[in-house]
Amino acid sequence: MTSPQAKRKYTREQIRRARKCPLKPVLELGGHRLRRLPEGNYEVLGLGEPVVVKEHYWTCPDTGESGNAIDFMMRFRGLSFAEAMDLLS
């Protein structure tokens, strides 16, 4: 049996808006601690690896991984795409 979230369809505009969702306020609301860095960057503390966010984008300096707000939620919060979309919408 398929979950209702698995059947959910999102428009390109909804996905674009979620990708560009500012990460700092979302992470703070989710209980993450952030440390201010130069040039509008923030280090996300407590993830077990260094992750830097700026606006809607994140990067991991050690591994070179990076992505947008949806990618962050899937990678570091363990959410499915639909769950990340619901959180960021």
Side-chain angles (χ1 to χ4, degrees):
M1 183 169 201
T2 309
S3 73
Q5 285 183 338
K7 292 184 177 186
R8 190 170 298 154
K9 300 287 185 194
Y10 300 96
T11 66
R12 287 179 188 231
E13 180 59 24
Q14 288 171 313
I15 294 169
R16 187 191 69 73
R17 280 195 314 264
R19 284 183 179 144
K20 294 195 176 273
C21 182
L23 277 167
K24 182 182 180 290
V26 171
L27 295 177
E28 289 174 329
L29 284 172
H32 290 279
R33 291 185 8 245
L34 303 174
R35 181 173 65 94
R36 182 185 295 268
L37 300 173
E39 301 180 22
N41 295 305
Y42 291 87
E43 179 181 5
V44 184
L45 303 174
L47 292 179
E49 59 189 290
V51 174
V52 176
V53 299
K54 183 173 188 171
E55 299 172 2
H56 60 275
Y57 190 77
W58 65 273
T59 186
C60 181
D62 285 356
T63 65
E65 288 180 89
S66 60
N68 58 47
I70 296 171
D71 300 326
F72 183 96
M73 295 303 155
M74 292 174 68
R75 167 76 165 77
F76 295 104
R77 300 278 304 269
L79 301 179
S80 69
F81 178 80
E83 291 168 330
M85 285 293 297
D86 289 345
L87 180 71
L88 297 169
S89 296

